[in-house]
Structures are given as structure tokens and as C-alpha cells.
């Protein structure tokens, strides 16, 4: 057990997008057509996530509300040689509405969740979503892995508001401090979980948030664990 975790957690709760389900590059490339490649997306993603987090931090401090999907799509298409990206963005928005663009299963995460269940941890999800999260998890073969799923659109509260974390803990019969929360965006996942009293774990698969993890640990006056591989979550709990 990591020394920062004074008492063993009883539950591990997860974000979904960019944590359990990743952007489906194949669908994005096929929807956009000529001018976009997998290589473009792989190069664009790390900087895109960093930019998104910065904008979300600014929003939390009273800045302009972020149009998250548009920012993501605009950033992802920026490296492609598209004379006018707007038609491609609109096609992707429609495809995301039909079935989330986050539909590529993070296979290492599936293995980790299975191991956590084997070890006796209670497993759940807290995600900013569109009300159709359970169906997406069913279609991607994830649904049966989770005891509880908290979809922001159905709860009427979204991260980083402490309400969504507190309501999730209450519904599962947990104190917030009984739970680890694993998510990928410092501005909403780490800030929200820590403020609610959960123990935050930053899943930094693109390795762009080392500074943010250290800074938030000081700002929040709480430990912020950072992992770059999902398997590291098991080591954190050992």
C-alpha cells in the first residue's frame, strides 16, 4: 500500500473518456476522409489534452465556458491539410452524437479492472456524459464490470462539482475517503475528486501532466498520485 494511503480504500471509481475508453482514431479518420491520418491524431493528442486542461482551469477561475468537443476536434484536425475543417468537424459531431467517439477499449484498463474486482474492490464510474453512457459501456463490453455508473447528464451535476462525487459515494454506501478516483484531466477529475474527499489518481497516459500533478498536490493540500500506465494502479494499491 502506498504510504500516502493511510487506510486501504474500499472502492475504485473511474472516469471513462481517455481513461477506460479512448478516442477511436479509426472512426475519426474514416469520418473525415482524405487529409487526416492516424499519425496526425497520435501527434496531436498530447498537446490537445494539455490545451483542454488549461482551458478548463481557466473556466474554473471564471473564464469563458469551454466547448469541449469542439476544442478537441479543432485541435485534432489542426495538423491535417484540410482547406476547411468545419464540414469534417460537423460530421464528427454527428458521429459522436450517434455513438461516442470514445469507443476504443483501453485493454490494459480492462485487465486492471478485472484484477481489482478479483481483489474485492468495489468498482464504479463517475463520468461527464450525455445520458447514454450505460449503453456505450454495453456496446464496448464494459457494462458488467461495474457495480454503479454515475452519468452526469442523468444526475444533473458534472465534474468538477463535488456534488457528483458525493452523490456517487452516498449511493454506494461509502464515505468519499473510502474511494480512489482515477481520471485523466487534472482540472476536473483531480480537483473534483480531491475537493469531495476522494483520493485522486491522475491517469496521465500521454505524460503531459507531471507539473500539474505536483502543483495541484500543493494547491489542494492533498496527495495526488500520478500513473502513466493503468497497470501502475495495482502497484499503487499494493
Amino acid at each position: 500500500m502506498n504510504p500516502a494511503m493511510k487506510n486501504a480504500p474500499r472502492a475504485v471509481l473511474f472516469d471513462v473518456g481517455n481513461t477506460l475508453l479512448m478516442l477511436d482514431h479509426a472512426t475519426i479518420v474514416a469520418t473525415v476522409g482524405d487529409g487526416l491520418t492516424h499519425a496526425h491524431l497520435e501527434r496531436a493528442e498530447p498537446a490537445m489534452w494539455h490545451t483542454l486542461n488549461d482551458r478548463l482551469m481557466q473556466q474554473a477561475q471564471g473564464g469563458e465556458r469551454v466547448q469541449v468537443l469542439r476544442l478537441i476536434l479543432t485541435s485534432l484536425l489542426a495538423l491535417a491539410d484540410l482547406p476547411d475543417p468545419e464540414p469534417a468537424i460537423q460530421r464528427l459531431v454527428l458521429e459522436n452524437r450517434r455513438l461516442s467517439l470514445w469507443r476504443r477499449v483501453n485493454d490494459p484498463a480492462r485487465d486492471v479492472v478485472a484484477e481489482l474486482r478479483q481483489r474485492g474492490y468495489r468498482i464504479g464510474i463517475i463520468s461527464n456524459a450525455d445520458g447514454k453512457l450505460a449503453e456505450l459501456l454495453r456496446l464496448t463490453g464494459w457494462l458488467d464490470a461495474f457495480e454503479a455508473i454515475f452519468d452526469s447528464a442523468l444526475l444533473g451535476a458534472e465534474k468538477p462539482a463535488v456534488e457528483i462525487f458525493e452523490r456517487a459515494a452516498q449511493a454506494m454506501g461509502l464515505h468519499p475517503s473510502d474511494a480512489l478516483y482515477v481520471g485523466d484531466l487534472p482540472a476536473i477529475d483531480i480537483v473534483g475528486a480531491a475537493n469531495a474527499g476522494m483520493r485522486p489518481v491522475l491517469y496521465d497516459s500521454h505524460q503531459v501532466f507531471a507539473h500539474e500533478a505536483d502543483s495541484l498536490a500543493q494547491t489542494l493540500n492533498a496527495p495526488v498520485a500520478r500513473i502513466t500506465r493503468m497497470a501502475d494502479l495495482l502497484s499503487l494499491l499494493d
Side-chain angles (χ1 to χ4, degrees):
M1 177 66 59
N2 186 292
M5 298 181 188
K6 297 177 183 178
N7 301 308
R10 297 167 53 200
V12 183
L13 308 180
F14 290 88
D15 177 37
V16 174
N18 205 42
T19 302
L20 301 179
L21 294 174
M22 317 304 280
L23 279 168
D24 187 347
H25 289 182
T27 295
I28 294 172
V29 168
T31 302
V32 172
D34 292 341
L36 184 69
T37 67
H38 289 269
H40 287 136
L41 297 176
E42 289 169 1
R43 290 203 308 271
E45 269 210 63
M48 178 271 289
W49 292 117
H50 201 277
T51 298
L52 175 60
N53 189 71
D54 285 348
R55 291 285 303 279
L56 289 169
M57 286 292 236
Q58 293 167 14
Q59 174 181 291
Q61 296 165 7
E64 182 180 354
R65 184 166 179 81
V66 181
Q67 297 181 47
V68 172
L69 182 59
R70 173 162 284 275
L71 187 153
I72 287 171
L73 296 178
T74 301
S75 299
L76 289 179
L77 299 186
L79 294 179
D81 186 21
L82 299 176
D84 179 10
E86 188 59 30
I89 289 172
Q90 291 303 317
R91 290 197 299 275
L92 289 169
V93 167
L94 291 174
E95 179 62 18
N96 184 73
R97 191 176 301 159
R98 185 188 73 81
L99 179 63
S100 171
L101 295 173
W102 283 264
R103 63 179 85 157
R104 176 169 53 95
V105 174
N106 183 350
D107 288 324
R110 193 193 291 278
D111 294 339
V112 166
V113 168
E115 175 64 20
L116 291 172
R117 293 180 66 191
Q118 184 69 25
R119 294 185 185 189
Y121 289 99
R122 299 176 65 187
I123 308 296
I125 281 175
I126 304 172
S127 182
N128 287 353
D130 60 359
K132 299 182 289 186
L133 180 57
E135 176 63 10
L136 176 64
L137 292 169
R138 185 188 68 78
L139 290 171
T140 53
W142 267 112
L143 187 60
D144 292 341
F146 304 100
E147 172 185 338
I149 297 168
F150 301 96
D151 180 323
S152 64
L154 300 180
L155 289 178
E158 64 180 25
K159 302 177 297 184
V162 298
E163 178 185 357
I164 191 171
F165 296 94
E166 291 173 341
R167 288 173 64 182
Q170 182 178 28
M172 294 180 71
L174 298 167
H175 188 275
S177 63
D178 291 332
L180 255 62
Y181 184 73
V182 184
D184 67 296
L185 282 172
I188 60 172
D189 295 314
I190 302 310
V191 170
N195 284 339
M198 291 186 181
R199 290 178 266 191
V201 178
L202 176 61
Y203 176 52
D204 186 11
S205 62
H206 295 289
Q207 302 189 42
V208 293
F209 291 130
H211 171 74
E212 284 77 5
D214 291 342
S215 177
L216 282 176
Q218 296 181 25
T219 301
L220 298 168
N221 194 28
V224 175
R226 173 178 168 267
I227 59 174
T228 57
R229 303 178 311 139
M230 193 59 75
D232 294 338
L233 181 60
L234 299 176
S235 301
L236 191 69
L237 290 163
D238 284 338

